Amino acid sequence: MKQRKIAYISETVLTDCDLPLLHELSKEVVVDYYIVVTNNSRQGTLIDLTLKEKGGIYRATEYPELKVLEKWMDLNHVFVVNKPVNHFWEWINFAIAWKGVQLFKKQHYDIIHLTWPLRYCSFALYLLRKKMVITMHDPIPHSSQMTFIKNFHRFCCIRFTPDFILLNKTQKAPFIKAYGISESRVHLSRLSIYTHLKESASAPRFCSNPYILFIGSIHSHKGIEYLCEAMEPIINDLPDMHVIIAGKGQFYFDISRYEKNPNYMFINRYISNEELVSLISNSIAVVCPYIDATQSGVIMSAFALNKPVIATNVGALPETVEDGRYGLLVPLKDSKALERAIRQIIQPGIAQQMSENIAHDYSAGVHSWSSIASGMLDIYDTIINRRKTHDKTH
């Protein structure tokens, strides 16, 4: 039987979950990995590229910075969709999409796997939609990210893409209901730990005191204000305790009073991979006080370094943060409950036991990337066989 051939099209911000999956998939099928990069997205957890002046699709071997990816994939199967112009409406971005259509036709891929709704400059790729499947990292969009253009991209994605992969069970029914999609078109997978963090170098410690950590981009749906409120009485009682809030973005609430308190540390910029490892490894626990959520890459980063997580009981977070085993769950927008959870997890032995549970349960078995890749191959086969059946009857 002919070996399956997959085009996997993704973005720099997703390399931490793409690469361990593609490493496992490449053992069974041919996978060509296309990383879409613009000047605004040239940095990711594993990537920091200098773009070429001329737009186009280049081999990864032409970018010395991508040699780091060799531990996961043969670089002859990795490509950069080089978009030096940030504005989607620039003609070069439309030309690159058309070049992609021609390339994908020539390569005769069985599956074209997207991980994000196509921008309008790339809509030409929908000419190949019969072979498409998309991983919906956000089946229901975050409240802080519902803009007209993003909703337009999502509408077209739902209209033209035949199959969808969700990374949690919780949002399957709401997703189907919201968009009127047939259940047979929605498939389930999941995330595992971001394994590259285990091997990454670590930056020096940011704080010599014990601390609770929030890490991630700054958006209003992240609920950071509830963490700041929760930490005030804890810091009053335990003057050595600190909280670090690290990530890039504009704060949507007034942090001036917290900035005056030396126990609050704000690192408002892009966080490098080495800094991420340092911040998580030296923390007591990571807090995800989100107002709305899907699954969370932050949780998988924390689990990769065996750190427990305190998370709000929203979206699919309870599927990942098993309450009392891998961390603690708290109600939505409840700083008092969050305070109690933090006080609990800083008690001697609590975080350590949870760390041991994470290390044991995510080393192999159903939580591993090999298991996830096996399930992904089943999804591909289901889609390919259904398409063949459809083609024979029409």
Side-chain angles (χ1 to χ4, degrees):
M1 186 177 72
K2 180 177 79 74
Q3 192 175 26
R4 304 295 195 203
K5 193 172 183 180
I6 313 299
Y8 192 96
I9 307 169
S10 195
E11 306 199 353
T12 53
V13 294
L14 297 173
T15 49
D16 42 17
C17 58
D18 289 336
L19 284 165
L21 172 63
L22 297 180
H23 175 74
E24 295 297 332
L25 287 175
S26 297
K27 296 175 182 179
E28 302 294 334
V29 296
V30 177
V31 181
D32 286 341
Y33 181 30
Y34 295 86
I35 311 170
V36 181
V37 186
T38 70
N39 271 326
N40 285 340
S41 65
R42 64 180 187 81
Q43 285 183 317
T45 308
L46 293 167
I47 291 176
D48 188 353
L49 281 183
T50 300
L51 289 179
K52 297 184 181 299
E53 291 184 8
K54 185 178 180 181
I57 301 174
Y58 296 87
R59 289 188 176 275
T61 49
E62 297 185 49
Y63 297 81
E65 308 98 310
L66 293 184
K67 189 172 176 61
V68 67
L69 304 188
E70 282 183 325
K71 66 178 69 175
W72 290 281
M73 291 191 71
D74 178 351
L75 290 189
N76 290 314
H77 288 279
V78 181
F79 303 86
V80 174
V81 183
N82 189 97
K83 294 185 175 183
V85 181
N86 292 327
H87 302 296
F88 294 149
W89 44 261
E90 291 285 351
W91 71 268
I92 186 61
N93 292 327
F94 291 89
I96 291 170
W98 182 247
K99 183 178 181 180
V101 171
Q102 303 307 311
L103 174 62
F104 294 168
K105 282 183 176 179
K106 184 178 179 180
Q107 291 296 325
H108 301 290
Y109 291 115
D110 297 291
I111 292 285
I112 298 172
H113 189 152
L114 307 176
T115 62
W116 211 260
L118 294 172
R119 278 73 167 180
Y120 57 80
C121 60
S122 300
F123 277 7
L125 290 171
Y126 282 132
L127 292 169
L128 307 175
R129 60 185 176 273
K130 287 185 179 180
K131 296 184 176 183
M132 279 187 177
V133 60
I134 183 169
T135 297
M136 299 295 286
H137 283 265
D138 295 322
I140 307 298
H142 294 303
S143 57
S144 65
Q145 298 178 327
M146 295 178 70
T147 64
F148 171 80
I149 193 63
K150 288 182 179 180
N151 285 338
F152 174 65
H153 291 154
R154 177 177 284 265
F155 170 82
C156 294
C157 170
I158 299 297
R159 173 68 178 81
F160 294 122
T161 310
D163 285 275
F164 304 87
I165 297 172
L166 306 191
L167 299 176
N168 67 80
K169 295 181 288 187
T170 302
Q171 292 182 312
K172 181 178 179 180
F175 178 71
I176 290 171
K177 182 178 180 181
Y179 297 106
I181 299 170
S182 167
E183 186 171 359
S184 64
R185 295 170 57 198
V186 181
H187 313 271
L188 290 178
S189 184
R190 57 194 181 279
L191 290 177
S192 187
I193 58 175
Y194 291 174
T195 52
H196 68 279
L197 295 176
K198 290 181 174 293
E199 303 171 3
S200 176
S202 176
R205 287 188 69 130
F206 283 80
C207 179
S208 59
N209 293 81
Y211 64 88
I212 296 297
L213 175 67
F214 170 92
I215 192 160
S217 55
I218 309 301
H219 291 293
S220 59
H221 72 271
K222 296 295 184 73
I224 303 167
E225 64 270 41
Y226 299 102
L227 173 59
C228 289
E229 291 173 5
M231 287 302 298
E232 282 190 282
I234 295 173
I235 289 170
N236 286 336
D237 293 342
L238 302 168
D240 285 342
M241 186 62 61
H242 283 55
V243 58
I244 296 179
I245 297 168
K248 186 177 180 180
Q250 185 172 354
F251 282 94
Y252 52 92
F253 65 101
D254 184 7
I255 63 170
S256 57
R257 87 167 191 247
Y258 301 118
E259 287 180 305
K260 296 174 183 176
N261 188 328
N263 292 60
Y264 287 80
M265 182 182 293
F266 294 91
I267 310 172
N268 189 209
R269 58 172 172 78
Y270 171 78
I271 304 298
S272 72
N273 204 52
E274 292 78 11
E275 290 173 328
L276 176 70
V277 171
S278 174
L279 285 165
I280 294 175
S281 297
N282 293 304
S283 68
I284 298 173
V286 174
V287 179
C288 297
Y290 304 159
I291 294 172
D292 59 65
T294 49
Q295 57 286 326
S296 170
V298 169
I299 293 174
M300 289 305 159
S301 296
F303 284 3
L305 298 168
N306 301 329
K307 286 296 174 180
V309 173
I310 299 173
T312 43
N313 193 357
V314 296
L317 300 190
E319 287 186 33
T320 308
V321 183
E322 185 178 331
D323 190 36
R325 182 163 182 82
Y326 307 140
L328 297 170
L329 294 173
V330 297
L332 177 70
K333 298 181 179 181
D334 191 336
S335 57
K336 289 294 184 183
L338 185 53
E339 176 196 341
R340 290 192 293 271
I342 294 170
R343 288 185 184 276
Q344 179 180 346
I345 213 164
I346 64 178
Q347 294 301 309
I350 300 297
Q352 179 59 35
Q353 181 58 60
M354 291 176 176
S355 295
E356 292 172 5
N357 295 339
I358 295 165
H360 178 271
D361 293 356
Y362 276 85
S363 60
V366 295
H367 291 312
S368 68
W369 282 113
S370 60
S371 174
I372 292 169
S374 178
M376 190 67 72
L377 292 173
D378 290 341
I379 293 171
Y380 290 160
D381 284 342
T382 297
I383 294 169
I384 292 168
N385 291 334
R386 190 186 64 210
R387 187 175 70 231
K388 286 180 177 178
T389 301
H390 179 272
D391 290 346
K392 286 179 182 179
T393 56
H394 289 76

